[in-house]
Amino acid sequence: MKRLLCALPLLWLALMPSLTRAQKFGYVDSEFIMSKMPAYAQAQQELNTASQNWQKEVEAQKKDIDRLYRTYQAEEVLLTEPMKKKRQDEILKKEQDAKAYQNKIFGYEGMLFKKRQELTKPIQDQVFEAVEKVAKKKQLAILFDKAGDLTMLYTNPAHDYTEFVLEELGLASEDRNQPGPKGAVRTVTPPTTPSDPEFGDDQPAQKAAPASRGKVNAKSAPRNN
């Protein structure tokens, strides 16, 4: 039995060339397809607008914290120790709230991530349905995505079914199954993760003064021939 189990992978490898010859396969460029869809461009524009608005809210929180800190510094010499502690706690609470809000919006599976899924999933489903129809019509056993994680070192244009998918979507070019004009895929530029020291460590404010202020900051793959 052990020998049989060892021999099965070798048998599969030996049969691969004949199986490949017996089956039809092809590939599409999903990024190129979506770049041709007006709904996709509209979704990306909406995502960019939402991201910019959320970024403004984060920046407004940062300015509010800076204002509180500058006021504290100006009045520190006039404050009693209990008053200093109260002001320090107020600033620290603002910092923690700003960090939590930033993570809620731009963090892993945050509101921006969910918004992107909400807007792009229907478009991706539409493309998948068109791809499935083409695969069935052309009797393809395998259809790769050139824009996916799979690395394709060489592609023969004869196996490119991108234009057939565009045809299913009503976006075909005049030359059927020929590479269309190159177009850039519009994508959202995610805000950079802040490197604010006081946002990175939830340490209590120093008794003499709060932590030093930092800043709260919140692929068009060209079509390969």
Side-chain angles (χ1 to χ4, degrees), residues 40-61:
Y40 185 74
Q42 182 179 349
Q44 296 305 318
Q45 181 59 47
E46 188 172 341
L47 278 172
N48 281 323
T49 300
S51 176
Q52 291 167 6
N53 290 337
W54 281 324
Q55 178 66 23
K56 288 177 182 178
E57 292 178 6
V58 171
E59 290 296 332
Q61 291 179 342

Side-chain angles (χ1 to χ4, degrees), residues 87-137:
R87 298 280 282 275
Q88 291 169 9
D89 289 345
E90 181 184 359
I91 294 173
L92 179 59
K93 179 63 166 55
K94 288 282 188 180
E95 291 173 347
Q96 292 172 340
D97 289 345
K99 178 184 177 182
Y101 181 75
Q102 177 182 304
N103 288 335
K104 177 183 177 182
I105 301 299
F106 300 112
Y108 177 68
E109 293 190 351
M111 292 178 65
L112 182 62
F113 173 84
K114 293 177 180 178
K115 187 70 173 177
R116 180 181 292 111
Q117 281 192 320
E118 174 191 339
L119 293 174
T120 59
K121 189 179 185 304
I123 300 171
Q124 292 170 341
D125 289 344
Q126 187 178 358
V127 172
F128 177 78
E129 290 174 4
V131 167
E132 190 175 28
K133 288 180 181 179
V134 169
K136 290 179 179 179
K137 286 181 179 180

